[in-house]
Amino acid sequence: MLYDAWCSLGKLCYSELDNKNKVGYWLMYKLLLRQVQYRLLVLISAVVFVISATFGSLAVAQTLPNQMDIRVLIDVSGSMKKTDPKTLRIPALQVLTQLLPHGSKAGVWQFSNYPEAIVPLGLVDPQWQKQATTAAQTISSKGQFTDIGAALKAAAFSQQDQASGRQLHLVLLTDGMVDVSKDAAENQRARRTLLEPILQQYIDMGARVHTIGLSHQADERTLRAMAHLTDGLFEVAENADQLLDIFLRALDNTVITQQVPVQIDEQTFEVHANLESMTIVVEKNGDHHIKLRDGNQRLFGKHQTLASQQWQSSSTHDVISIQQPVAGTWALVSPTAKLKRVNVVGQLQILLQQSHQNIKVGQRAYLDVQLANEKGILLSENQLQGFDLGVEVMLDGQHISSQAQVFLAHEKTRVHLPVIDQAGMYDLNISVVKGQLVREISRNLRVHPLVAVALSVELNPVNTAPTQDITVTVQQPSAISQEAMVISKEQASPALQALMQAQTKVTTPAASADAQATTPAASADAQATTSEPQPSVEVEVEVEVEAEAEVKPKPEEQAEPETPAETEVAAQPLTATEQIAKLVNKVKNQLSTAGSTTPPTSVETPQEEPVVTVKTALDPEDLSYSRWLVVIGAGVLLLALLLFLRRSSAAST
């Protein structure tokens, strides 16, 4: 608009001049017009360049966020007096909160009849950690009920939390089931509410829920489902002594924690120069006079710390935080204590993205790793020279596989994990090595067995070939058997076992006789008699969480025996899933023809695993692509502007 006004003003003045002064004025006008054009062009070019350069630098710097939002829920119901008589939740929580990285967001709630925030949600700093250490000492076991749903609602993430860009995690510790009342029906409704609307909110926010069952008395089925549906981890602590180890594993799977190797026999570790800070965790084992020897061979204990050192003690562990530690060989001096771990923060940042924390047998997962400096800027090709990446997979301390490769410049270095054919909790040990510099990161991968489908019907074996995700077992037993899914070494709770046994009741001959009398044609085809037990259809999917009561029903509440029905499967090359679907239709049609008054046989088809969308760090490939779009767009804009100015100049002449 300014340019058009300048041209109009020039033409108006030109028309008012006489012929004698027109030539001089025209030359001056053209000169000023050219200056305006080029200055405008330079100004727009500078603005576009600054925008593109700023956007590009932010794209690289934002690819390595390690900012977390972690919320911890601790069960304080009365049953904890038996499962945690020494209240080892207190030192475990104290160590966990001391290891949270500064700048992350965290909060702690205790719950029983109702939830209560004992450490308010806020940014983690030394003051917050001190408050958490003091608040942990107030944990007791006085509650009557275990309202897990109310606890999750109190600690729920909001859309503002989701928009903050932090990775959202929740750690839940409990030893019981959903217990909000003495009324079993009300407990069922509370459990349904927990697994549907409440947990769905966490799924929608992209949060991962990590569940810990203290003893096998906990509702493992519900806790496992909560973790599986949000791609979190589920573990069972056989006793309270294992709590800290499980807490640390949960922390390792939420925060990118760099560790240095510890020489177990000598109880020593190497510290390199230019470290910003390090945190040492020591298991005291009864020694309350632990001492450390630093890189300068200075010996110090809890009461000889310097201004840059902070020593926190609990009943079982000591946590020592040191700013700018001295380089050299450090050692623990104690007859019984042991170094648990040494976390470090330095100039090297590691971005680690794990594709899945839960997979099935036969499926594959992968890791994406990148390196950056202390400002979050990805290392260049020259800076990556000499760095090696190693990944080791272990199960119960046994080596499974290992692989190593060099880092790729300007993109993620992807490591494909091997195909695993055995269910269990696997340890992933990731190492970044350059000469004497070694950084380690620990992660876990839960491998679940394939979804099992048990069919107690006579089927053509040709039509029952198992697919990749479904195992079909064909049998015609005298009594219906229940195939129980077992993940790792975990066992179902007594209430769950009672429910499973209740589901395996064999249909009564009376019902078969009734069905035979009503449908003689079907009976003739089936060639069945009332004295022989009829085959039934049974489908069991492990990850499905039903809303039925977990408590064994009373005799008067038992359902009527189910009426057996003849099932047929057409001899066609169908997959196992299609066979089951067709089998369901056959059962429904024959039951409706029979006109039986008993409830129809319930057949549940295996459901696909729910897809959980978890918001992670920004993809550097996407940001790089956007950056180039900005640069190309700026170039096109400059070219169009140049052509416009040239046309305007030609038109004015």
Side-chain angles (χ1 to χ4, degrees), residues 366-647:
Y366 62 84
L367 302 171
D368 284 339
V369 186
Q370 286 180 293
L371 302 182
N373 60 19
E374 67 278 7
K375 296 181 180 180
I377 306 299
L378 294 176
L379 299 187
S380 64
E381 184 175 0
N382 293 333
Q383 293 171 327
L384 288 173
Q385 294 295 328
F387 280 102
D388 294 321
L389 173 63
V391 178
E392 181 183 21
V393 181
M394 302 184 68
L395 176 63
D396 298 331
Q398 300 295 323
H399 174 81
I400 303 298
S401 69
S402 61
Q403 51 187 311
Q405 65 185 78
V406 297
F407 282 91
L408 303 177
H410 310 301
E411 59 180 307
K412 298 175 181 177
T413 301
R414 177 163 294 182
V415 179
H416 290 277
L417 301 179
V419 177
I420 299 176
D421 58 1
Q422 180 181 355
M425 177 73 80
Y426 288 79
D427 298 320
L428 307 179
N429 300 322
I430 302 100
S431 60
V432 176
V433 182
K434 183 179 182 180
Q436 299 298 321
L437 176 66
V438 180
R439 296 288 183 268
E440 296 179 341
I441 297 176
S442 299
R443 285 293 173 98
N444 292 98
L445 176 67
R446 168 74 75 177
V447 179
H448 299 268
L450 296 176
V451 177
V453 180
L455 297 178
S456 303
V457 294
E458 184 178 359
L459 297 177
N460 187 346
V462 177
N463 297 331
T464 58
T467 62
Q468 181 178 1
D469 291 331
I470 300 178
T471 301
V472 180
T473 304
V474 182
Q475 56 183 359
Q476 191 173 0
S478 57
I480 301 174
S481 61
Q482 181 92 3
E483 285 192 9
M485 298 290 296
V486 179
I487 294 182
S488 186
K489 298 180 181 180
E490 302 152 9
Q491 299 179 356
S493 61
L496 178 56
Q497 293 177 1
L499 177 62
M500 294 168 61
Q501 293 174 2
Q503 293 176 345
T504 59
K505 296 295 183 179
V506 182
T507 55
T508 60
S512 301
D514 185 31
Q516 182 182 6
T518 309
T519 57
S523 300
D525 293 338
Q527 298 179 356
T529 61
T530 58
S531 61
E532 298 179 357
Q534 297 300 314
S536 64
V537 180
E538 180 181 297
V539 178
E540 182 186 27
V541 181
E542 172 61 26
V543 297
E544 179 183 3
V545 182
E546 302 173 341
E548 285 79 10
E550 293 292 337
V551 184
K552 184 175 180 180
K554 299 179 181 179
E556 61 271 19
E557 296 176 354
Q558 296 285 355
E560 292 292 333
E562 299 183 14
T563 303
E566 178 65 15
T567 59
E568 299 178 358
V569 176
Q572 298 180 1
L574 302 176
T575 64
T577 305
E578 294 173 342
Q579 294 169 17
I580 296 173
K582 190 170 183 177
L583 185 60
V584 173
N585 296 331
K586 288 284 186 180
V587 172
K588 290 182 178 180
N589 293 337
Q590 293 187 6
L591 288 177
S592 61
T593 304
S596 175
T597 59
T598 59
T601 304
S602 176
V603 181
E604 299 175 357
T605 58
Q607 303 293 327
E608 295 183 357
E609 292 297 328
V611 179
V612 181
T613 303
V614 180
K615 289 192 174 294
T616 57
L618 296 177
D619 193 336
E621 296 177 359
D622 297 339
L623 291 173
S624 178
Y625 176 73
S626 302
R627 178 179 58 192
W628 281 110
L629 284 180
V630 172
V631 174
I632 293 174
V636 172
L637 178 62
L638 291 176
L639 181 60
L641 180 60
L642 181 61
L643 293 177
F644 171 74
L645 294 177
R646 287 186 176 276
R647 284 194 174 187

Side-chain angles (χ1 to χ4, degrees), residues 88-96 99 171 173 210-214 233-254 257 259 281-285 316-317 338-341 343 425-427 442-444:
L88 295 180
R89 289 162 290 168
I90 294 178
L93 179 61
Q94 289 175 334
V95 174
L96 176 67
L99 293 179
V171 179
L173 170 65
H210 308 279
T211 55
I212 303 172
L214 184 53
L233 290 178
F234 162 71
E235 287 198 65
V236 174
E238 300 286 348
N239 51 66
D241 294 332
Q242 300 177 356
L243 271 183
L244 179 61
D245 290 335
I246 295 179
F247 269 176
L248 293 180
R249 278 198 292 273
L251 179 65
D252 289 336
N253 285 277
T254 56
T257 305
Q259 304 177 40
V281 180
V282 179
E283 185 177 358
K284 296 195 291 190
N285 294 325
T316 60
H317 293 77
K338 294 182 179 180
L339 285 171
K340 196 74 175 177
R341 62 168 53 197
N343 297 349
M425 177 73 80
Y426 288 79
D427 298 320
S442 299
R443 285 293 173 98
N444 292 98

